[in-house]
Amino acid sequence: MQGKKVKLFTGIIVRNNPELIKMVKDDLEKTFSEIILESRIIPFNYTNYYQKEMGKELLRFWAGYKKPILPDELPDIKKKAVELEKGFCDEKGNRQVNIDPGYLELSKIVLSSTKDYSHRIYLRDGVYAELEYQFLKGKYEPVSWTYPDYRDTPAIEFFHNLRRIFKEELKNNP
């Protein structure tokens, strides 16, 4: 692998169903690599954006992966995540899971999206990137558009823990 390595993560919103959560995690590992870090699973009550399609009892968690990636792989990874979501649609064709890949660098965290907005940068193939955090004075700081769930303690703890793991990996495998 050539170029600057970054650490892949996914932000997952899922219907409250333990079997579904296990299947999603299994498919994520098959698709991206071993999950080496998971956040706490928390109720997703930050917005009702997903309720019409996915229902009211939603859960949120983040997962970090063993295999490093290159930043320019993000559009392909986002497309794979969209395909995984389609595989978990219910009998009515509604999503049961939302998977948003991103990557962590020591200095920032970037999230992918298929929706354009003023603060998003077009990458390719209908995929955009947005900065969620910058690392300042020893911690990740959200930016003005950072999502409310990404501003909450479980997310911040997850990203700081993933940064520690990644920093150690870089030290051992420059």
Side-chain angles (χ1 to χ4, degrees):
M1 182 180 291
Q2 302 228 342
K4 184 177 184 176
K5 297 175 187 176
V6 296
K7 192 56 132 178
L8 176 65
F9 72 88
T10 51
I12 300 112
I13 301 170
V14 64
R15 287 185 183 168
N16 188 352
N17 175 331
E19 277 184 37
L20 176 63
I21 293 169
K22 184 186 180 331
M23 289 189 302
V24 168
K25 287 179 187 179
D26 288 348
D27 277 9
L28 287 168
E29 284 195 316
K30 287 176 195 166
T31 304
F32 300 125
S33 77
E34 178 187 348
I35 294 173
I36 58 166
L37 182 67
E38 289 181 47
S39 72
R40 294 183 276 151
I41 297 177
I42 58 173
F44 183 76
N45 52 14
Y46 300 90
T47 177
N48 59 8
Y49 180 83
Y50 297 98
Q51 282 184 8
K52 185 175 182 184
E53 182 179 16
M54 295 175 64
K56 289 185 179 180
E57 289 190 36
L58 301 177
L59 300 173
R60 154 64 93 192
F61 66 98
W62 290 265
Y65 300 88
K66 182 174 185 171
K67 183 181 170 197
I69 64 164
L70 297 173
D72 63 359
E73 293 179 74
L74 193 57
D76 295 328
I77 291 168
K78 177 63 175 173
K79 289 189 295 184
K80 287 179 185 176
V82 169
E83 288 304 310
L84 283 176
E85 290 176 0
K86 289 178 183 175
F88 286 105
C89 286
D90 66 16
E91 61 281 349
K92 295 178 184 173
N94 293 319
R95 285 187 304 168
Q96 298 186 84
V97 63
N98 178 73
I99 304 167
D100 288 325
Y103 64 78
L104 175 145
E105 292 185 41
L106 297 181
S107 64
K108 65 182 169 270
I109 294 173
V110 175
L111 187 63
S112 65
S113 178
T114 56
K115 298 173 219 60
D116 188 13
Y117 206 69
S118 61
H119 61 282
R120 294 184 179 142
I121 307 299
Y122 186 73
L123 299 175
R124 67 176 161 81
D125 301 332
V127 177
Y128 300 81
E130 69 179 57
L131 178 70
E132 289 299 316
Y133 299 94
Q134 40 189 339
F135 197 79
L136 301 169
K137 298 180 183 175
K139 63 180 184 171
Y140 283 119
E141 292 287 345
V143 293
S144 63
W145 53 78
T146 298
Y147 295 108
D149 48 333
Y150 276 73
R151 292 175 178 272
D152 208 349
T153 303
I156 293 169
E157 287 174 349
F158 168 78
F159 288 116
H160 281 201
N161 288 333
L162 189 60
R163 185 181 190 276
R164 277 193 282 283
I165 290 168
F166 186 48
K167 191 173 184 180
E168 191 65 27
E169 288 174 358
L170 291 173
K171 189 168 82 174
N172 294 331
N173 300 301

